[in-house]
Amino acid sequence: MRAVVYERYGTPGELELRDVPVPVPGPGEVLVEVVAASVNLSDWEGLRGDPAYARMGGLFRPGRGRRILGTDVAGRVAAVGPGATRFAVGDAVFGDIMPRYGAFAEFVAAPEAVLAPKPAGLSFAEASALPQAAAIASYAVGLAEPGERMLLNGAGGGSGSLAIQLAAAKGVHLTAVDNADKLDFMRELGADEVIDYRRDDFTRHGPFDVVVDMVARRSIFAYRRALARGGRCVVVGGTTRAVLRMLTVGPLLGAVSGARLGVLIVHQGPAAFLPVAEQVARGEVTVVVDSTYPLDAVPEAIARHGEGRALGKIVIVP
Ligand SMILES: NC(=O)c1ccc[n+]([C@@H]2O[C@H](COP(=O)([O-])OP(=O)(O)OC[C@H]3O[C@@H](n4cnc5c(N)ncnc54)[C@H](OP(=O)(O)O)[C@@H]3O)[C@@H](O)[C@H]2O)c1
């Protein structure tokens, strides 16, 4: 089969289209013929090996399972491994196969437990754009109650563009932060207020009941400054330093200052992303697909994401 392989951390130039053996599904796994796979920030981070936690599994070179990027996948079951009973050959499925990678290929083996039947109302491209982003978005918006003031940093990306819509539907007052080119996009999705992170410091706004940072880079004192009394702040991803500070010092500062600060751990899986997928299938939420690329254009697709040029999700169509 054809797959996009890389052997060293670096730029999209490290990615190469190659012929590799079709994976064999192990116990409890199915082989999926990939119809669509979406690009996430974790693919960009996994390619560059930065932040440091993106090197888990291979310190100097990507570990064996990670030589092919891609975790969000939609496709058809092509074979069933020993003991796998949930799906039959030909079933349309989708899911997030993190921490395993391998979806930027014609076939990928995946544990059946992480997959769900694809709703008929969703295209394969839309379905592939959902699992990771929908899970993160629902966890993030789940932290806020109707009427509360929430700030979302990095709101113009894949998870943010869903979170904005979920927050609007829930009656949460949302301030969305991203670069200037995404401000109109975020307003159209339902953000009440928008901030350009290159011109303005969101921690000087507020106070907010909930702050969620998709791409944390700030000190915990800056986050604390943005919070109302009793407020909650979580980081979803970001620099190793910012995430570690939030894990270690965040709970202490929170305890002494009447706030909660920590890291949002998202338990991926169908229970986390299916409710949003069903909302998309019913037309209540829109999944924005920025562009689609064939397998041999994965380097361009990942560069477009990494350089911040995408409005919505980028989808690979083998
Ligand atoms: N906690 C967990 O369990 C878990 C699981 C999976 C993934 N993650 C993490 O979750 C996050 C989700 O990201 P995603 O998929 O939505 O990523 P994405 O689509 O790349 O969106 C990130 C957005 O942040 C913007 N951005 C970049 N630098 C920024 C800054 N300094 N200030 C404000 N905005 C900035 C980007 O815009 P530009 O670059 O265009 O400016 C982009 O629009 C990632 O950090 C990922 O590593 C966490």
Side-chain angles (χ1 to χ4, degrees):
M1 69 166 186
R2 294 178 316 142
V4 180
V5 177
Y6 74 123
E7 302 281 357
R8 283 185 312 195
Y9 297 116
T11 63
E14 296 294 336
L15 298 164
E16 205 182 302
L17 189 63
R18 286 197 205 153
D19 273 322
V20 300
V22 175
V24 176
E29 295 182 352
V30 294
L31 180 69
V32 178
E33 181 178 11
V34 181
V35 180
S38 78
V39 178
N40 285 300
L41 188 54
S42 39
D43 296 307
W44 174 249
E45 293 170 343
L47 170 63
R48 294 177 1 118
D50 181 38
Y53 59 71
R55 295 189 178 216
M56 272 154 58
L59 201 53
F60 300 106
R61 290 166 178 272
R64 278 192 81 75
R66 290 210 178 185
R67 291 194 184 141
I68 304 170
L69 293 168
T71 63
D72 265 347
V73 63
R76 290 193 188 83
V77 173
V80 175
T85 54
R86 285 184 61 216
F87 300 109
V89 170
D91 285 356
V93 293
F94 72 129
D96 176 5
I97 62 174
M98 182 85 98
R100 181 187 298 217
Y101 282 73
F104 296 163
E106 288 175 322
F107 293 90
V108 66
E112 62 171 2
V114 306
L115 299 172
K118 181 183 77 63
L122 288 185
S123 68
F124 282 97
E126 288 172 326
S128 77
L130 278 169
Q132 188 177 118
I136 292 173
S138 356
Y139 269 62
V141 176
L143 298 171
E145 297 301 327
E148 285 195 311
R149 291 170 55 86
M150 175 172 173
L151 179 131
L152 185 57
N153 191 42
S159 311
S161 55
L162 290 172
I164 292 173
Q165 298 177 69
L166 299 183
K170 193 172 176 180
V172 172
H173 184 97
L174 188 79
T175 302
V177 188
D178 213 299
N179 73 52
D181 292 338
K182 299 184 183 176
L183 302 186
D184 287 341
F185 174 65
M186 296 191 298
R187 273 196 208 94
E188 282 160 22
L189 292 173
D192 296 290
E193 286 165 51
V194 293
I195 294 175
D196 172 3
Y197 74 82
R198 293 187 179 136
R199 295 179 62 108
D200 205 350
D201 175 355
F202 72 81
T203 69
R204 304 273 171 197
H205 291 252
F208 299 98
D209 302 300
V210 178
V211 171
V212 176
D213 197 343
M214 299 289 179
V215 284
R217 280 159 175 70
R218 308 301 303 274
S219 79
I220 52 169
F221 298 102
Y223 290 116
R224 178 65 194 92
R225 179 167 63 220
L227 281 181
R229 182 140 191 92
R232 291 85 75 199
C233 171
V234 291
V235 303
V236 184
T239 62
T240 308
R241 195 179 156 147
V243 173
L244 276 179
R245 275 192 306 225
M246 209 38 132
L247 267 175
T248 53
V249 194
L252 296 175
L253 179 67
V256 296
S257 67
R260 271 190 281 157
L261 297 109
V263 175
L264 186 70
I265 306 294
V266 177
H267 298 287
Q268 300 289 345
F273 65 74
L274 262 182
V276 180
E278 281 155 8
Q279 283 176 282
V280 175
R282 290 196 298 270
E284 296 162 13
V285 169
T286 305
V287 55
V288 185
V289 175
D290 169 84
S291 45
T292 56
Y293 288 79
L295 212 46
D296 59 4
V298 165
E300 288 89 326
I302 292 198
R304 181 171 173 80
H305 184 108
E307 290 159 10
R309 289 184 280 127
L311 282 183
K313 295 280 293 188
I314 294 177
V315 174
I316 309 301
V317 190

